[in-house]
Amino acid sequence: RKEVEQDPGPFNVPEGATVAFNCTYSNSASQSFFWYRQDCRKEPKLLMSVYSSGNEDGRFTAQLNRASQYISLLIRDSKLSDSATYLCVVNGGGGSYIPTFGRGTSLIVHP
Amino acid sequence: GAVVSQHPSWVICKSGTSVKIECRSLDFQATTMFWYRQFPKQSLMLMATSNEGSKATYEQGVEKDKFLINHASLTLSTLTVTSAHPEDSSFYICSAQPGTFTDTQYFGPGTRLTVL
């Protein structure tokens, strides 16, 4: 089983739609979780950190479920500019800050 | 905000040559820097963890003699791809963590390497 798994997609949605991505992780000792956004041929940029039960930033909401070992990202009112690959990142836990990246979920928002 | 630069942003070289990529944290000190490689439509693959003043820790399957990492100061880490081959062509990205007990990463813009 891979350490961090994501549905690669692509998710193809119209503008204004709500879309949700899930990410599962295998290391139950993991302490911190992040969502990054990566545009084509660019570096990842931090979208949200998820430290406790989840957090919200505008149209973006991240949730953490430790019991089931998954985190989710919800995007409401999708914009064309939201089209990108969304990477789930989990830090190792047990005192380790080594990050593990998921493969990424591709989102395409169309008019 | 924290800024990380990489140089060069792209490089084309002949097979058999060595290429050095620099990663700099511009406005903070980075105790730890990470080097990643990303092939098209693939996720980032961690190559090594670089700590200032000590030897880098390489991930399984990454040849330490081929990918030389030097973290000589708190603001600079370098990755040298030695005797590059076409299969080394990839997008190389570094990231930096400010401090030891923080897990926020700031990424450099990446270096696109093409080996002919």
Side-chain angles (χ1 to χ4, degrees), chain A residues 32 34 36 38 41-46 51 87 89 91 97-99 101-104, chain B residues 34 36 38 41 43-44 46 49 91 93 97 100-105 107-109 112:
Chain A
S32 51
F34 306 88
Y36 280 79
Q38 185 175 26
R41 302 172 79 89
K42 299 280 189 180
E43 76 276 21
K45 292 189 184 296
L46 180 65
Y51 286 108
L87 302 169
V89 180
N91 278 17
Y97 292 94
I98 304 299
F101 280 77
R103 187 180 170 184
Chain B
F34 300 99
Y36 298 86
Q38 187 176 34
K41 299 189 178 182
S43 186
L44 276 73
L46 180 64
T49 303
F91 190 44
I93 309 175
Q97 283 184 346
T100 305
F101 300 104
T102 175
D103 48 14
T104 300
Q105 294 185 72
F107 284 86
R112 193 159 300 279

Side-chain angles (χ1 to χ4, degrees), chain A residues 51-72:
Chain A
Y51 286 108
S52 55
S53 59
N55 52 315
E56 184 175 320
D57 182 5
R59 298 183 293 110
F60 299 86
T61 301
Q63 293 285 339
L64 168 64
N65 186 318
R66 286 189 184 274
S68 301
Q69 293 181 208
Y70 79 82
I71 63 174
S72 63

Side-chain angles (χ1 to χ4, degrees), chain A residues 22-41:
Chain A
N22 284 331
C23 167
T24 59
Y25 60 95
S26 60
N27 185 351
S28 59
S30 298
Q31 293 297 316
S32 51
F33 313 87
F34 306 88
W35 284 103
Y36 280 79
R37 170 197 170 125
Q38 185 175 26
D39 293 290
C40 188
R41 302 172 79 89

Side-chain angles (χ1 to χ4, degrees), chain B residues 2-3 11 15 29 34 42 44 46 54 62 70 84 86 110:
Chain B
V3 179
V11 57
S15 186
Q29 293 185 328
F34 300 99
Q42 303 275 327
L44 276 73
L46 180 64
S54 61
V62 179
N70 184 5

Side-chain angles (χ1 to χ4, degrees), chain B residues 12-13 15-16 19 26 30 37 44 46 52-53 58 67 74 76 82 85 89-90 96 109 116:
Chain B
I12 301 173
C13 68
S15 186
V19 176
L26 298 185
R37 181 167 53 180
L44 276 73
L46 180 64
E52 186 266 339
Y58 290 81
F67 299 99
L74 287 171
L76 173 64
T82 63
H85 288 101
S89 299
S90 187
L116 303 176

